[in-house]
Amino acid sequence: MIEVNLTAILSILNFLLLFFVLKKLLFDKFFDVMKQRKEKIQSEIAEAEKMRTEANELKREYQAKIEEARSTSEEIVSRAEKQAEEIVRNAREDAQQEIQRMYKSAELQIQRERDEAAGEIKGAIVTAAVAMVGRFLQKEMDDTAKKQYAKRILESMGDKE
């Protein structure tokens, strides 16, 4: 059996006293520090979780803003391309109109010069014909006779002047 003697009782009392002293001086403080550390770690974990949630929200917002900026930039580029095409098309149309105007102007100029040249040729032909008629008839013609011969020559050429 178990013998209880004074040494065993003193050892038990010594152990209890030591346990009580250690508990008051060391264990309570140790457990308080552990409890504080546990609370601090839990609060830091909660703070980290909160920050992670906020970071994810900010990330979503920035991604939405980036997507919006991307679509806006694509829209701007598309509008700029359309404007450039419109400018090129307008420039081509203006160039075509200018070419047509220059072509018509050149045609009119050519026609005027052709008519002028034809008039000069007719005048030269009439003058030469009147001079030949005068030589053929071997006489000097007055202005009235020259005009009559010129009129006949022009009528025979198809001109009604």
Side-chain angles (χ1 to χ4, degrees), residues 69-93:
R70 184 176 291 126
S71 66
T72 302
S73 67
E74 288 173 358
E75 183 180 317
I76 289 169
V77 167
S78 175
R79 272 191 269 143
E81 287 174 348
K82 287 178 183 177
Q83 287 176 344
E85 290 172 3
E86 181 73 18
I87 290 169
V88 168
R89 187 178 56 76
N90 287 340
R92 283 186 183 148
E93 288 175 359

Side-chain angles (χ1 to χ4, degrees), residues 127 129-135 137-147 149-150:
T127 303
V130 169
M132 286 195 317
V133 168
R135 283 188 196 150
L137 297 175
Q138 292 189 352
K139 66 176 184 178
E140 211 39 56
M141 288 194 278
D142 64 353
D143 284 339
T144 308
K146 287 181 182 178
K147 285 183 183 177
Y149 281 116

Side-chain angles (χ1 to χ4, degrees), residues 84-161:
E85 290 172 3
E86 181 73 18
I87 290 169
V88 168
R89 187 178 56 76
N90 287 340
R92 283 186 183 148
E93 288 175 359
D94 291 346
Q96 287 293 336
Q97 290 174 354
E98 183 65 19
I99 289 169
Q100 290 295 327
R101 186 191 63 74
M102 290 171 62
Y103 182 73
K104 287 178 182 178
S105 175
E107 283 181 339
L108 290 173
Q109 180 73 22
I110 290 169
Q111 186 62 40
R112 276 195 299 267
E113 289 177 6
R114 188 179 290 150
D115 292 345
E116 189 177 302
E120 289 176 6
I121 291 172
K122 283 181 186 179
I125 290 172
V126 169
T127 303
V130 169
M132 286 195 317
V133 168
R135 283 188 196 150
F136 182 68
L137 297 175
Q138 292 189 352
K139 66 176 184 178
E140 211 39 56
M141 288 194 278
D142 64 353
D143 284 339
T144 308
K146 287 181 182 178
K147 285 183 183 177
Q148 285 179 349
Y149 281 116
K151 187 176 180 183
R152 284 185 200 161
I153 291 170
L154 287 173
E155 286 175 357
S156 69
M157 290 174 60
D159 200 2
K160 303 264 182 190
E161 289 180 15

